[in-house]
Amino acid sequence: MKELMELVEELSFVRVAGSEEEKKAAQMILGEVNRTAEEAGREDIRGEYMTFRIPDAKVRKCSVQAAGREIPCRPFLRSGNIDRECELVYLDGASEIDFAGIGNLEGKAVLLNRLTDEEVYKRLVEHKASAFLVMQGKYYFSEEEASLYARRLREHFTRNGVIPGFMIPAAEALWLVKEEVESVHLSLDQEDTEPESRNILAVIEGTDLKEESIVLTAHYDSVPVGTGSWDNATGAVALLGIFRHFASHPVRRTLRFVWCGSEELGLLGSKAYVEQKEELLDKIGFCFNFDMCGTALGANKICVTGAKELQTFVDQYCKITGYSADIGVGVHSSDSAPFCDKEIPALGLSRETTTAELHTIHDLLPALSGKAMDRNVAFAVRMIGDVANAALLPVKKGMPEETRKELDKYFHREEKAE
């Protein structure tokens, strides 16, 4: 049986949602699940795929030119097409004040420091901007170090309208502003597609409380840069390690394992699970999620999404077991969130560090440690076993009012309601 870090190494390659590489990673995980079940003598356990379609785009051309110079760029997928010269406008923080009095932006491309706020995008639409450019990285980063990659323009933006978008390195944005470049020629030609992604599912039936379930999740896809070793080969492999244990040591409650595809595109795998397996949600009383584990340097973290009693339980459990962890409360931006949205309490177990980076070219193997992985998995096995064997789950289903509001905001429903 392979060591956990061996599996992390094998899974450390770019595996973008909907790609052949993501499919290859899914096959690796499915193979390990079925080998584990066979070695445990469990003919009743068999891994399977759950497929679903994802929004994507095929890009035929993406180009930004200014003052006779070709600027490195990547597109915002599903943001439409353009081929024209645009006046360049830089809007500092893109605040309401920055937009005040600016008038019609037709024929103009707006340079932004970032684009994370839907209100900023709505202002671009309202002012009829022809395109937008977002800078990435630091001014001293090379094109490679800036870690440019194509990003999908999410639905909560496009519901306001579609504007062609580009990512460029911060170094190029600095040049454009300091040289007072007045215009850019933008070309973006793309076609919307819907490739297939997949979750890998496995169920270990409980002994005497089999009608009650606990769901365990981790995503296995990656962004297009780096090798996705930390985010999230470690979480996917941690879940394999947990599966190995419970395949040979069943617990009272049923354990439902879900290796989620397409998390990096907006939790699409876990969303697909709660949609396709709606009939199971009443039986699922708890969720454990694993997103980024096993760094050599750093600290353990547990994200609590649920009632106050759950936070108290986790705090006391860590003290009893001697597990050092930073305990946070709120919605975890990972695959537990769609389950929490269905009133299922969740714990997100991870390990954070300031010495490594995710979603960049630096998400690589050297930051990780086999011993740290083993410790994270050992604690998870102990905690899951105690919860799954408990007379009662540590907290009832449901979300506090403040968490419900946070979920509404996280899933962009408060703007839609307005």
Side-chain angles (χ1 to χ4, degrees):
M1 187 175 288
K2 293 179 180 177
E3 296 292 329
L4 296 182
M5 277 305 298
E6 289 183 79
L7 294 173
V8 172
E9 290 176 21
E10 290 183 8
L11 203 54
S12 290
F13 56 88
V14 173
R15 45 197 190 279
V16 177
S19 68
E20 285 300 309
E21 290 75 21
E22 188 197 42
K23 184 177 180 180
K24 175 185 173 183
Q27 291 169 339
M28 290 173 59
I29 292 169
L30 182 65
E32 187 64 27
V33 165
N34 289 333
R35 275 190 296 274
T36 296
E38 184 178 350
E39 290 173 6
R42 296 294 301 267
E43 295 182 0
D44 59 316
I45 301 174
R46 192 74 185 171
E48 62 176 344
Y49 289 139
M50 167 194 283
T51 60
F52 54 96
R53 293 287 174 179
I54 63 172
D56 202 353
K58 179 181 179 181
V59 179
R60 289 181 283 261
K61 185 177 182 181
C62 179
S63 171
V64 176
Q65 297 175 325
R69 172 172 171 172
E70 187 76 31
I71 293 178
C73 65
R74 298 291 186 276
F76 276 85
L77 302 175
R78 292 192 163 227
S79 68
N81 298 318
I82 190 172
D83 186 11
R84 65 177 293 179
E85 192 83 12
C86 293
E87 181 184 340
L88 185 64
V89 178
Y90 175 50
L91 282 184
D92 290 345
S95 68
E96 189 174 6
I97 293 175
D98 291 320
F99 274 91
I102 200 167
N104 194 309
L105 289 170
E106 172 63 33
K108 299 178 182 179
V110 178
L111 176 62
L112 302 168
N113 297 321
R114 66 188 64 84
L115 183 60
T116 57
D117 188 345
E118 183 181 353
E119 286 302 313
V120 171
Y121 187 81
K122 286 171 70 174
R123 292 184 196 117
L124 292 173
V125 174
E126 290 166 359
H127 288 266
K128 303 187 186 319
S130 291
F132 65 90
L133 300 95
V134 180
M135 62 187 78
Q136 173 78 12
K138 308 293 186 182
Y139 80 89
Y140 49 84
F141 281 2
S142 66
E143 177 186 349
E144 182 186 19
E145 289 170 332
S147 298
L148 293 181
Y149 61 87
R151 302 162 190 258
R152 180 170 59 90
L153 196 58
R154 301 287 175 86
E155 286 81 1
H156 63 282
F157 285 91
T158 57
R159 69 189 181 192
N160 299 289
V162 175
I163 303 173
F166 302 79
M167 299 287 301
I168 63 172
E172 299 290 345
L174 180 64
W175 175 77
L176 288 169
V177 172
K178 291 186 73 172
E179 294 299 317
E180 299 182 352
V181 174
E182 295 182 351
S183 66
V184 291
H185 189 97
L186 305 175
S187 297
L188 179 54
D189 182 11
Q190 61 179 324
E191 177 184 357
D192 290 353
T193 61
E194 288 190 349
E196 187 175 77
S197 183
R198 57 197 50 76
N199 297 330
I200 305 100
L201 313 181
V203 179
I204 301 176
E205 192 173 80
T207 54
D208 62 314
L209 294 177
K210 63 181 69 177
E211 291 303 311
E212 298 181 35
S213 296
I214 294 172
V215 66
L216 303 102
T217 56
H219 78 90
Y220 68 92
D221 63 312
S222 77
V223 298
V225 294
T227 58
S229 301
W230 183 26
D231 183 20
N232 186 35
T234 57
V237 168
L239 196 56
L240 282 170
I242 294 162
F243 177 79
R244 281 178 177 178
H245 175 82
F246 289 111
S248 299
H249 304 86
V251 286
R252 300 181 71 191
R253 290 174 175 82
T254 295
L255 301 180
R256 300 185 181 278
F257 291 79
V258 187
W259 287 267
C260 301
S262 301
E263 187 265 1
E264 298 292 2
L265 291 188
L267 316 182
L268 300 188
S270 46
K271 287 179 179 178
Y273 185 91
V274 299
E275 290 172 3
Q276 294 188 34
K277 299 290 186 179
E278 186 177 3
E279 75 282 0
L280 295 176
L281 298 182
D282 286 342
K283 300 178 181 180
I284 298 174
F286 209 87
C287 173
F288 286 92
N289 182 65
F290 301 88
D291 200 343
M292 301 169 15
C293 309
T295 54
L297 302 174
N300 303 315
K301 183 172 183 179
I302 302 177
C303 182
V304 177
T305 312
K308 177 68 175 178
E309 291 87 343
L310 184 56
Q311 182 184 356
T312 302
F313 165 76
V314 172
D315 180 63
Q316 295 302 314
Y317 193 89
C318 287
K319 290 176 180 176
I320 290 169
T321 58
Y323 188 74
S324 172
D326 174 21
I327 301 171
V329 179
V331 176
H332 192 188
S333 185
S334 190
D335 285 306
S336 55
F339 292 93
C340 297
D341 201 38
K342 300 298 183 180
E343 308 297 331
I344 297 169
L347 297 179
L349 278 65
S350 61
R351 184 169 169 83
E352 294 192 344
T353 181
T354 59
T355 62
E357 298 176 352
L358 66 154
H359 297 177
T360 75
I361 61 171
H362 302 295
D363 184 354
L364 305 169
L365 281 166
L368 306 176
S369 157
K371 288 184 178 179
M373 277 288 296
D374 290 343
R375 286 194 298 268
N376 286 161
V377 170
F379 173 76
V381 163
R382 181 173 180 176
M383 189 181 216
I384 293 164
D386 286 343
V387 171
N389 283 321
L392 294 172
L393 292 176
V395 66
K396 293 181 179 180
K397 292 180 72 168
M399 291 291 143
E401 184 178 351
E402 285 305 308
T403 306
R404 173 50 57 196
K405 290 178 181 177
E406 190 179 348
L407 283 162
D408 286 340
K409 184 176 182 180
Y410 182 82
F411 287 109
H412 310 286
R413 284 193 290 261
E414 79 289 359
E415 296 97 337
K416 193 173 183 180
E418 292 172 5

